[in-house]
Amino acid sequence: MKTKKHRIATLLLLPLALLLAACAASQGGDPLVAAWEALPPQEISEADIEAFRAAARAVRQSEEFRIKAMDSPEFAALLARLSEAEDADTVQGLMPRYVRINAELNDASWRVVSLVMVLLSLFLLASTVFFVLYIRQTRAVHRLRAKMQMEQAVSAATIAMQEEERDRIYKELHDTIAQDSRSALFSVRELKSRLANDDEAAALLRHVEAMETNNINNVRSIIRNIIPPDVMRGFTATLQEWADIFSAQSGIRCTLCIRPDVPLESLAQTQRLHLFRIMQEALVNVQMHSGSEECAVLIRTSTDRRGREAIAMTISDDGEGFDLDDAARVEGHFGLRGMRNRVAVLDGEFRITTSPGGGTQVFAEIPLHLNGGG
């Protein structure tokens, strides 16, 4: 940081140094004026005049003279006469005009140099400000990217833990409650066959049997919802199977449309699992909140905002809809948060379009990494 400050200070002081150097150069002694002042006050010899003429010719051959001659023809003509002066009277008569015109040209040159230096200073100052702002913006972008990567990592870890917990709960339900319910149902049926002549007991056992059957069906439904799907078996078939199960369980007709050019079977396992869970959670929300009689799932190829090939999934219903701002303020909307986190883990885009009475659209778009990670 200290080195950068020194560099910036050097850039700002450079124009000032150039300006001072130009000032010193413009205020330096003129060789012709020096030759004039060196002439003796009385009895100027031919050798003195020749030395003066030599000084005048040297000035005419200089680059500074060429520049001044272009600005002032009068100055060029005056210097030509001085370089050919024959006597002291001619020199004494022309030199005051030379000094005046030369001073005017020096002042004009000084003003131009000053303007150039000021403009250069402003340019360097603007460049420095731009550079500082660019560095700050770059650092802010890097911090934002690091934060997003950290959030994605946290979301990925959280989702992985959720999937592990789903698997554990599924196994416990299957090995305990489901097994016990089947055993109880078997016992009830055995008792019902033994007490077939007892109408009151048989009626009670039929009621218990219906309850146990319903419990088993509920447990199976819960297990089906939480068990990690076999997404590698055939992803298209898995999605269609879930849409059919949803329609049968909820009574809401679900239409699944997958465009022919969508390479679902080429997706990585992680991508398949997240897409399945997003579709699953969105349909659960349709069943619980929409009041709709039908819904649709559209899966198609797309190009995301960064120009990458992507897969877009849209779950739509024509139900009641809701106020998205109100939903964001209410705690417990873990379904929406979970879907958003899953899309973030895949470096995609997630959005919801809804309004009270206007139905709901859930949109998830993920970059298409064929046979890759996700």
Side-chain angles (χ1 to χ4, degrees):
M1 180 64 68
K2 198 171 183 179
T3 303
K4 289 183 178 179
K5 289 182 178 179
H6 289 166
R7 290 177 181 174
I8 293 174
T10 301
L11 288 175
L12 293 176
L13 292 176
L14 180 60
L16 180 59
L18 294 175
L19 191 62
L20 293 175
C23 177
S26 65
Q27 298 299 323
D30 186 294
L32 191 57
V33 173
W36 177 43
E37 293 175 346
L39 291 175
Q42 296 177 353
E43 297 182 1
I44 299 175
S45 66
E46 181 64 27
D48 295 331
I49 296 298
E50 179 57 31
F52 179 84
R53 287 198 297 265
R57 288 192 293 269
V59 171
R60 290 188 67 190
Q61 294 174 358
S62 67
E63 185 64 27
E64 182 181 359
F65 166 76
R66 293 189 181 93
I67 295 175
K68 291 180 178 179
M70 288 188 295
D71 293 336
S72 175
E74 181 183 1
F75 176 79
L78 183 59
L79 191 55
R81 291 178 62 187
L82 287 170
S83 63
E84 297 174 357
E86 296 293 339
D87 52 46
D89 291 339
T90 302
V91 172
Q92 299 295 349
L94 295 177
M95 278 305 295
R97 290 175 56 198
Y98 171 86
V99 171
R100 176 179 57 80
I101 296 175
N102 191 45
E104 293 174 354
L105 292 175
N106 284 339
D107 290 342
S109 299
W110 166 248
R111 286 193 294 270
V112 172
V113 171
S114 300
L115 178 60
V116 171
M117 292 300 103
V118 169
L119 292 177
L120 180 59
S121 300
L122 292 176
F123 172 75
L124 291 177
L125 179 60
S127 300
T128 303
V129 172
F130 173 79
F131 175 76
V132 171
L133 293 178
Y134 172 77
I135 293 297
R136 290 183 178 179
Q137 184 179 13
T138 301
R139 289 177 178 175
V141 170
H142 288 166
R143 286 195 296 268
L144 179 60
R145 286 178 179 173
K147 180 181 178 182
M148 291 176 62
Q149 290 174 354
M150 183 178 296
E151 290 176 350
Q152 288 180 0
V154 171
S155 296
T158 302
I159 291 172
M161 293 176 61
Q162 289 174 345
E163 291 297 334
E164 292 177 1
E165 186 67 10
R166 285 173 183 261
D167 187 55
R168 185 189 65 80
I169 294 174
Y170 146 70
K171 291 177 180 177
E172 289 189 1
L173 287 175
H174 182 272
D175 296 340
T176 56
I177 297 177
Q179 297 289 357
D180 292 344
S181 295
R182 279 194 289 268
S183 298
L185 183 61
F186 178 80
S187 299
V188 167
R189 288 173 178 171
E190 180 66 20
L191 282 174
K192 189 171 67 172
S193 63
R194 293 182 181 183
L195 300 175
N197 295 328
D198 188 336
D199 294 340
E200 184 176 353
L204 180 59
L205 289 173
R206 284 194 298 271
H207 177 68
V208 174
E209 180 183 18
M211 290 178 59
E212 282 301 319
T213 301
N214 185 60
N215 287 338
I216 290 175
N217 290 334
N218 287 336
V219 171
R220 286 175 177 172
S221 177
I222 293 173
I223 290 175
R224 189 181 295 112
N225 287 338
I226 66 175
I227 184 175
D230 187 8
V231 293
M232 300 308 292
R233 172 177 59 86
F235 193 37
T236 302
T238 299
L239 295 178
Q240 185 60 61
E241 180 182 358
W242 175 251
D244 295 339
I245 292 173
F246 171 79
S247 296
Q249 289 182 345
S250 66
I252 301 173
R253 184 162 63 91
C254 179
T255 302
L256 174 64
C257 177
I258 303 175
R259 297 284 173 79
D261 61 335
V262 180
L264 287 179
E265 305 305 328
S266 299
L267 291 177
Q269 181 176 3
T270 303
Q271 291 174 297
R272 296 185 184 198
L273 178 59
H274 287 321
L275 279 179
F276 176 83
R277 290 302 189 197
I278 292 168
M279 172 180 165
Q280 185 183 44
E281 186 61 45
L283 290 179
V284 169
N285 288 341
V286 170
Q287 180 181 359
M288 295 180 61
H289 305 297
S290 73
S292 175
E293 296 182 355
E294 61 180 357
C295 63
V297 180
L298 172 63
I299 301 177
R300 58 182 176 82
T301 57
S302 66
T303 301
D304 67 11
R305 293 184 178 181
R306 285 184 270 178
R308 302 174 298 181
E309 291 184 346
I311 290 180
M313 179 169 65
T314 305
I315 302 96
S316 307
D317 68 69
D318 58 353
E320 298 175 359
F322 58 93
D323 189 297
L324 195 58
D325 293 333
D326 290 343
R329 288 191 292 267
V330 177
E331 295 184 1
H333 283 273
F334 297 107
L336 301 182
R337 186 184 306 168
M339 289 188 286
R340 193 182 305 277
N341 288 343
R342 289 182 183 275
V343 174
V345 167
L346 298 177
D347 194 24
E349 180 182 355
F350 177 81
R351 63 175 180 267
I352 297 177
T353 304
T354 185
S355 61
T360 301
Q361 278 193 346
V362 175
F363 175 83
E365 184 179 53
I366 65 168
L368 179 60
H369 302 298
L370 296 180
N371 297 321

